[in-house]
């Protein structure tokens, strides 16, 4: 096996959504875009970093990959998805955009000095956290 932190490794997180177009519109309002090469009527590839992607999959498409029953994210936590932004102000801006686009606040702001975050639920009930971390704290 290659090095677990291999810089060439890519991460794809597959996430079921009830209405793909509605989810694409929601995440577009948060500043995300979609790679047209890997986006069609059943799936949308949303880059979240240089080598990290969220695949929004219609439930039927997601079921083709899943070997177990699909859980309802409004009643069960499947995972918590976190992405970083470049400033504290951007944390607030992205969170405000999520709420304005129909998302729901999960938690209030968490301020640890070196790290600041806010959490929200997307239109399907998936839990997201947007965070900023002081680069000096990770050095």
């Amino acid at each position: 096996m290659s090095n677990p932190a291999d810089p060439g490794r890519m991460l794809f997180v597959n996430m079921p959504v009830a209405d793909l177009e509605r989810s694409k519109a929601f995440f577009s309002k948060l500043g995300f875009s979609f790679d047209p090469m890997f986006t069609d009527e059943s799936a949308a590839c949303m880059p979240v970093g240089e080598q990290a992607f969220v695949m929004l999959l219609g439930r039927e498409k997601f079921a083709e990959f899943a070997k177990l029953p699909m859980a309802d994210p409004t009643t069960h936590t499947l995972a918590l998805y976190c992405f970083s932004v470049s400033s504290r102000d951007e944390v607030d801006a992205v969170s405000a955009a999520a709420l304005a686009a129909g998302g729901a606040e999960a938690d209030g702001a968490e301020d640890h000095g070196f790290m600041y975050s806010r959490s929200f639920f997307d239109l399907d009930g998936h839990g997201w956290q947007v965070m900023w971390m002081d680069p000096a704290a990770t050095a």
Side-chain angles (χ1 to χ4, degrees), residues 90-138:
E90 193 174 357
V91 168
D92 290 331
V94 170
S95 296
L99 299 179
E105 188 168 40
D107 288 318
E110 292 185 36
D111 191 345
H112 301 283
F114 70 95
M115 185 173 72
Y116 178 69
S117 65
R118 298 187 70 143
S119 300
F120 61 89
F121 295 108
D122 68 17
L123 302 177
D124 288 281
H126 299 289
W128 289 85
Q129 183 179 56
V130 56
M131 57 87 65
W132 166 84
M133 187 177 300
D134 183 351
T138 61

Side-chain angles (χ1 to χ4, degrees), residues 58-120:
R59 289 183 177 162
E60 195 171 290
K61 184 69 166 181
F62 184 86
E64 292 176 19
F65 296 104
K67 302 302 179 212
L68 298 172
M70 195 178 325
D72 182 349
T74 63
T75 60
H76 293 79
T77 300
L78 306 171
L80 298 173
Y81 308 98
C82 179
F83 61 94
S84 64
V85 294
S86 60
S87 70
R88 294 171 64 97
D89 289 341
E90 193 174 357
V91 168
D92 290 331
V94 170
S95 296
L99 299 179
E105 188 168 40
D107 288 318
E110 292 185 36
D111 191 345
H112 301 283
F114 70 95
M115 185 173 72
Y116 178 69
S117 65
R118 298 187 70 143
S119 300
F120 61 89

Side-chain angles (χ1 to χ4, degrees), residues 4-80:
D6 185 327
R9 181 168 287 142
M10 299 168 68
L11 172 68
F12 291 87
V13 175
N14 296 299
M15 177 181 298
V17 297
D19 183 327
L20 183 60
E21 291 305 316
R22 187 177 134 197
S23 292
K24 285 171 53 181
F26 175 83
F27 286 105
S28 292
K29 291 176 183 173
L30 275 61
F32 289 102
S33 60
F34 300 92
D35 184 338
M37 185 180 292
F38 301 105
T39 299
D40 61 22
E41 65 282 342
S42 65
C45 179
M46 183 172 77
V48 296
E50 285 186 38
Q51 300 289 337
F53 309 86
V54 171
M55 294 296 299
L56 302 175
L57 304 174
R59 289 183 177 162
E60 195 171 290
K61 184 69 166 181
F62 184 86
E64 292 176 19
F65 296 104
K67 302 302 179 212
L68 298 172
M70 195 178 325
D72 182 349
T74 63
T75 60
H76 293 79
T77 300
L78 306 171
L80 298 173

